[in-house]
Amino acid sequence: MKRLSLIFKSKANNALDKMEDPRETLDYSYQRQLELLQKVRRGVADVATSRKRVELQINQIEAQSRKLEEQGRKALGVGREDLAREALTRRGGLQTQIADLRVQHDNLQAEEEKLTTASQRLQAKVDSFRTRKETIKATYTAAEAQTRINEAFSGISEEMGDVGLAIQRAEDKTASMQARAGAIDELLASGALDDYSGQRGDDIQAELDRMGGGHDVELEIARMKAELGQGSTPKSAIEQGPAQQQPQPNQQPQSNQTQQLRQPGEGL
């Protein structure tokens, strides 16, 4: 189970690595930092609002305290000491509330200052990250483009690989068709295959052409021997040889004429 879990995790990590785009990851990280900075700023605003509310409460309670003090003085002025004592007693309770609110005000002010400092630091960090992010994205884009260009030049990219395979298949198919056409031509020439195009080969005529070609060679050899003084056939007979290739009714067969040309000593 541990091995299967490790294999699954490695496969998943490899798949995620192929799917991951560093530029998108950087943009997402920058967006999260902006959201965090916005939350810090909102917290600073909330703390400042609470501090301001406490200040307003302190001002209101101080106004009530001053009013009670004035009422106590007026009560003493008319001889109502009991009213003056009641007013001063209420004033004392308000002074206690004012002291508590001042403590809260001081705490909120300190918290506001901390959040303000943190917000400024986070703002500087976000600005620095944005600059670095854009630099990394530009570098990655340039490297990706350079890699694709190099792969295209070397022919190892997927697109160029497909083109190379298509060219190779076309060349192989062309070579196969050329070999097949050449083989069919040879078979037609040899008579092994029938030509149905209306130009069927005649085996008798082919044999006659072959014999005629051999006779021409023999005549040429005899002529060369006569020129070198080694042959026995007269020059006139040699020159008349090609004209006598077609057998006439009163003429001897071709084989006898060839034998006459081969007899030594004649014409010397």
Side-chain angles (χ1 to χ4, degrees), residues 6-26:
L6 180 61
I7 293 174
F8 177 77
K9 290 180 180 179
S10 62
K11 296 292 185 181
N13 187 30
N14 189 19
L16 291 175
D17 186 65
K18 291 181 179 179
M19 294 173 59
E20 181 183 8
D21 190 347
R23 294 167 294 187
E24 296 178 354
T25 303
L26 291 173

Side-chain angles (χ1 to χ4, degrees), residues 22 35 37 66 85 99 101 108 113 117-118 151-152 161 164 199 219-220 244 258 262 266:
E35 293 176 358
L37 179 60
R66 288 192 297 268
R85 186 177 289 109
L101 290 174
L108 290 174
E113 292 176 357
T117 303
E151 288 179 353
Q199 299 178 357
L219 291 176
E220 185 67 22
Q244 297 176 358
T258 304
R262 292 181 179 179
E266 293 183 3

Side-chain angles (χ1 to χ4, degrees), residues 94-130:
L94 294 177
Q95 291 295 327
T96 302
Q97 294 181 12
I98 292 173
D100 294 337
L101 290 174
R102 289 189 181 278
V103 173
Q104 294 180 8
H105 179 271
D106 295 338
N107 293 333
L108 290 174
Q109 189 173 4
E111 187 68 21
E112 181 182 357
E113 292 176 357
K114 290 181 181 179
L115 290 176
T116 302
T117 303
S119 177
Q120 293 175 354
R121 292 179 179 177
L122 183 59
Q123 180 66 49
K125 183 178 180 180
V126 170
D127 294 340
S128 177
F129 180 79
R130 181 182 61 184

Side-chain angles (χ1 to χ4, degrees), residues 49-267:
T49 302
S50 299
R51 177 182 59 79
K52 193 65 177 178
R53 188 180 297 112
V54 170
E55 289 180 356
L56 293 175
Q57 290 179 359
I58 291 173
N59 294 332
Q60 291 176 1
I61 294 175
E62 287 180 348
Q64 292 178 4
S65 177
R66 288 192 297 268
K67 183 178 179 180
L68 289 173
E69 184 180 359
E70 186 66 25
Q71 288 177 353
R73 290 178 180 178
K74 289 181 179 181
L76 287 176
V78 297
R80 293 294 303 271
E81 186 177 350
D82 54 342
L83 291 177
R85 186 177 289 109
E86 181 65 23
L88 293 176
T89 301
R90 293 180 182 180
R91 181 176 178 274
L94 294 177
Q95 291 295 327
T96 302
Q97 294 181 12
I98 292 173
D100 294 337
L101 290 174
R102 289 189 181 278
V103 173
Q104 294 180 8
H105 179 271
D106 295 338
N107 293 333
L108 290 174
Q109 189 173 4
E111 187 68 21
E112 181 182 357
E113 292 176 357
K114 290 181 181 179
L115 290 176
T116 302
T117 303
S119 177
Q120 293 175 354
R121 292 179 179 177
L122 183 59
Q123 180 66 49
K125 183 178 180 180
V126 170
D127 294 340
S128 177
F129 180 79
R130 181 182 61 184
T131 303
R132 187 176 181 183
K133 173 182 71 72
E134 295 299 331
T135 303
I136 294 175
K137 286 176 61 178
T139 305
Y140 181 83
T141 303
E144 184 181 20
Q146 186 65 35
T147 301
R148 289 181 179 178
I149 293 173
N150 293 336
E151 288 179 353
F153 285 158
S154 60
I156 62 176
S157 62
E158 295 182 0
E159 294 82 1
M160 296 303 295
D162 295 339
V163 173
L165 291 176
I167 293 175
Q168 183 65 35
R169 288 195 298 268
E171 291 178 350
D172 294 341
K173 191 171 183 179
T174 302
S176 178
M177 294 297 292
Q178 289 177 349
R180 184 177 178 85
I184 292 175
D185 290 339
E186 292 180 359
L187 292 175
L188 289 174
S190 64
L193 293 178
D194 294 333
D195 187 2
Y196 295 98
S197 62
Q199 299 178 357
R200 299 186 58 183
D202 191 351
D203 54 350
I204 298 176
Q205 185 63 36
E207 183 65 20
L208 291 175
D209 293 339
R210 185 183 64 79
M211 293 176 62
H215 180 67
D216 293 340
V217 173
E218 294 295 335
L219 291 176
E220 185 67 22
I221 292 175
R223 182 182 293 108
M224 292 176 65
K225 288 182 178 181
E227 292 177 355
L228 295 174
Q230 299 178 358
S232 60
T233 303
K235 183 176 181 181
S236 59
I238 294 174
E239 292 178 352
Q240 294 176 0
Q244 297 176 358
Q245 290 181 6
Q246 300 295 332
Q248 302 295 330
N250 298 325
Q251 191 175 3
Q252 294 181 356
Q254 183 179 359
S255 59
N256 295 332
Q257 183 179 359
T258 304
Q259 292 178 359
Q260 292 177 2
L261 293 175
R262 292 181 179 179
Q263 292 179 0
E266 293 183 3

